[in-house]
Amino acid sequence: VANVIPEELHTVPWITYNGAYIYLDGECIYENLIPPAAVQTILNLVNKCLPDCVVGLECGNSLYLNRDIQRTPPYSVVDLMTVADQPAAKILFYQQEREALQSLVSELPVETRALFSDRYNFVQILAATADKMHALRFLLDRLGLEMAQAIAIGDDINDVEMIRESGLGVAVANAVPAVKA
């Protein structure tokens, strides 16, 4: 986030990686990550079920991919098992065929969940309890504020609950129908 937002916004709170991290004044105050053992289990499942799938692992504010794709940098192409000893904010599967992902998703470790979106051609695996709404509640509690005092803005399915529960929910013009609803 720090690389893409204006300097004057570096002191406002950020909820990133679908609620896996919260930053306040540039300091991480909250983490809800996929444990390393679950990361390794998922990578082994991918090798078994979808060996040709492009996989991304977001760890420590870095994106690691198992192969090069046409994607906006920065990212590193590595053997993902070499970085799977650390917790992950997200695991991404770039797979056109959603049905091919069903067998994989049904075998996910209990401490994870899948997030499907019609907006992008990938599926995100997150910690089972990681979402923007819970992260926003945590942040507001820390700041002594209520959900009614929050404005939430979003565009995709992962924003629906946060927008619904905040005092003012805003769907951007290009949001998916579920967010606009």
Side-chain angles (χ1 to χ4, degrees):
V1 172
N3 296 332
V4 297
I5 65 170
E7 184 73 31
E8 56 269 17
L9 295 179
H10 282 215
T11 58
V12 300
W14 307 334
I15 296 174
T16 63
Y17 294 102
N18 286 337
Y21 291 108
I22 300 174
Y23 290 88
L24 183 61
D25 293 322
E27 176 188 341
C28 184
I29 63 166
Y30 175 89
E31 291 182 346
N32 191 347
L33 306 174
I34 304 168
V39 172
Q40 294 164 9
T41 297
I42 292 168
L43 293 177
N44 287 325
L45 281 171
V46 171
N47 287 334
K48 180 181 96 177
C49 299
L50 297 168
D52 297 326
C53 184
V54 175
V55 181
L57 192 58
E58 293 185 338
C59 299
N61 287 322
S62 294
L63 173 61
Y64 301 99
L65 297 173
N66 64 341
R67 61 182 55 107
D68 199 19
I69 61 172
Q70 290 184 329
R71 179 184 163 88
T72 306
Y75 64 89
S76 301
V77 177
V78 300
D79 173 355
L80 295 179
M81 290 306 272
T82 65
V83 293
D85 61 340
Q86 56 188 313
K90 290 193 270 186
I91 302 172
L92 308 167
F93 298 101
Y94 298 88
Q95 177 72 26
Q96 298 292 334
E97 311 270 334
R98 283 206 180 175
E99 290 183 20
L101 290 167
Q102 291 308 319
S103 63
L104 179 102
V105 169
S106 68
E107 295 185 50
L108 288 175
V110 295
E111 58 268 47
T112 65
R113 67 182 175 92
L115 180 63
F116 290 85
S117 169
D118 291 332
R119 183 185 254 326
Y120 303 105
N121 287 329
F122 60 82
V123 174
Q124 302 175 67
I125 307 300
L126 311 165
T129 57
D131 67 56
K132 290 180 183 180
M133 210 283 296
H134 287 98
L136 180 58
R137 280 187 195 267
F138 176 91
L139 176 63
L140 293 172
D141 284 347
R142 180 164 175 151
L143 298 174
L145 300 171
E146 302 290 326
M147 285 295 289
Q149 295 172 281
I151 298 172
I153 303 167
D155 67 346
D156 203 3
I157 196 73
N158 59 334
D159 300 315
V160 169
E161 189 174 1
M162 175 184 68
I163 288 172
R164 184 180 299 128
E165 297 293 322
S166 66
L168 176 61
V170 179
V172 297
N174 66 344
V176 298
V179 176
K180 289 179 178 180

